[in-house]
Amino acid sequence: QVQLVESGGGLVQPGGSLRLSCAASGSFFSVYTMDWYRQAPGKQRELVATIATTGHTNYADSVKGRFTISRDNTKNTMYLQMNSLKPADTAVYYCNAIISPNGLSGDEYEYWGQGTQVIVSS
C-alpha cells in the first residue's frame, strides 16, 4: 500500500533553481532513511543525497554546496532544494525510502518513486 510520489521537476536554465519533493503515502508505521537518486540518459542511477530520520545528511561530491536535502517527518515528506543548476544535473530524479510497516525491529523495506524529470538547458 506504500507509495512514494515525486514532484517539482521541470525545465530550468543553467544557474536556476528547483525544489523537488517526495511524499510517502499509504499504510506504514514509519519512514526511516530517505534518499534522492538520479539517472541521466544512458548512465547508471547514482545517489545524490541521503537523509536519516535524525536529519543527518550526506551528498554526492558533484552536488555539495548546491543541493540541500531536508525532510518533514510530520508529513512523511522529503525535499531537495537544487540551486546553481548545471546541464550535468539533467536527469530523472528518484525518491527512495526505507519504510517499516509495523515498527518491528528489522522489519524494513525499500521503496522507489516513479521519478520526476529535471532538464537544465538554455
Side-chain angles (χ1 to χ4, degrees):
Q1 299 185 67
V2 178
Q3 288 186 301
L4 298 177
V5 180
E6 304 99 332
S7 62
L11 175 64
V12 65
Q13 293 182 335
S17 298
L18 284 173
R19 183 177 174 86
L20 307 183
S21 64
C22 170
S25 63
S27 180
F28 54 85
F29 178 80
S30 184
V31 181
Y32 296 134
T33 302
M34 302 186 79
D35 314 277
W36 285 104
Y37 285 77
R38 68 185 182 187
Q39 187 168 26
K43 296 184 178 180
Q44 297 277 357
R45 188 173 298 186
E46 64 174 342
L47 179 64
V48 176
T50 184
I51 184 167
T53 305
T54 59
H56 177 77
T57 61
N58 200 8
Y59 298 90
D61 288 341
S62 60
V63 306
K64 286 181 179 177
R66 299 189 298 120
F67 291 10
T68 302
I69 188 172
S70 61
R71 65 191 292 169
D72 184 342
N73 291 333
T74 66
K75 298 180 179 180
N76 294 315
T77 300
M78 172 179 66
Y79 307 93
L80 185 67
Q81 179 65 47
M82 305 185 294
N83 299 325
S84 301
L85 283 162
K86 306 173 181 179
D89 296 318
T90 296
V92 176
Y93 284 71
Y94 295 92
C95 176
N96 172 267
I98 304 299
I99 297 175
S100 173
N102 50 29
L104 296 177
S105 180
D107 198 2
E108 302 169 356
Y109 302 91
E110 184 180 39
Y111 295 88
W112 291 90
Q114 82 289 346
T116 184
Q117 176 72 245
V118 172
I119 300 175
V120 184
S121 177
S122 60

